[in-house]
Amino acid sequence: HYFIQSNLSMAAALLNFGGPSRRTVADLTTGAHDFNTRPNESIYFVNCSDSTLNVTSRTAKVSIENCRNVEVNLAYSPLTSYLEVVNSDGVNVHLAGTVSINTITVDQSDNIAFHVTNQQEQLQNIWWHKVSKVYVNRGGDLGPFLLDKLEENNKVTMFQHVCRPQPDGSFSKEPVMRENGYPITEQEKVEADARQAEFTRRLAENLLADVKITRKEE
């Protein structure tokens, strides 16, 4: 359902505001900076470090890439309800109390934290892959929550997984499987590849045998 919601939000944004555009903010290294964006304008932070980035108006979506030790403050919900963090380290994203985001993706990053006041209302799905630590800081008595890497048979998952907030204050953790259900772990991938290789070898042998028999009959 989250994909449908996100696509509907995107369609509404394009219909109402005349098409998407992207504003790139690059190479900021110090200080605090405010950004007043338009609703149909996505903001893309890249190669920023040791800075505070304040998005003070509504934006289409937020992208953070190759950033180090930055604070990102969102005053309004992104119009597409989407935020992504890629190849970054030490990023803190602060959501104002009225901000909610349906889909967050974190990829190839470390020490990423999302700061909220009500996780149940502000967060829906956090998708992540190749990430060492993702925190949700709920404030108050709940405090920070570490979204641990999923493990199955003591093997760290190699593919993306999704976490969703639960009414009791915890997060569900589910692997995102391929259509055929595997592989989920590195070991399962090795085993699946070996089975496929053996199947291909036997198939080739059988085809070759059939060809030889056909030639003899001729």
Side-chain angles (χ1 to χ4, degrees), residues 67-131:
C67 291
R68 303 289 182 269
N69 303 317
V70 298
E71 306 283 325
V72 179
N73 297 299
L74 301 184
Y76 296 89
S77 303
L79 198 62
T80 60
S81 200
Y82 182 77
L83 180 146
E84 62 181 349
V85 182
V86 180
N87 195 29
S88 296
D89 189 4
V91 174
N92 286 276
V93 179
H94 300 263
L95 307 184
T98 57
V99 172
S100 63
I101 298 181
N102 189 64
T103 302
I104 293 173
T105 62
V106 184
D107 191 32
Q108 301 185 68
S109 299
D110 295 317
N111 302 306
I112 308 301
F114 299 95
H115 301 263
V116 298
T117 55
N118 188 324
Q119 66 177 33
Q120 196 69 19
E121 293 184 0
Q122 293 184 270
L123 301 175
Q124 297 298 321
N125 305 279
I126 301 177
W127 299 81
W128 51 300
H129 178 228
K130 294 184 179 179
V131 178

Side-chain angles (χ1 to χ4, degrees), residues 129-162:
H129 178 228
K130 294 184 179 179
V131 178
S132 64
K133 294 180 181 178
V134 178
Y135 294 93
V136 176
N137 193 333
R138 287 88 50 93
D141 296 333
L142 287 175
F145 190 95
L146 173 62
L147 305 182
D148 292 315
K149 281 186 176 179
L150 279 177
E151 293 189 3
E152 189 168 295
N153 300 326
N154 298 319
K155 304 178 186 71
V156 177
T157 54
M158 60 171 292
F159 291 109
Q160 189 181 58
H161 38 281
V162 60

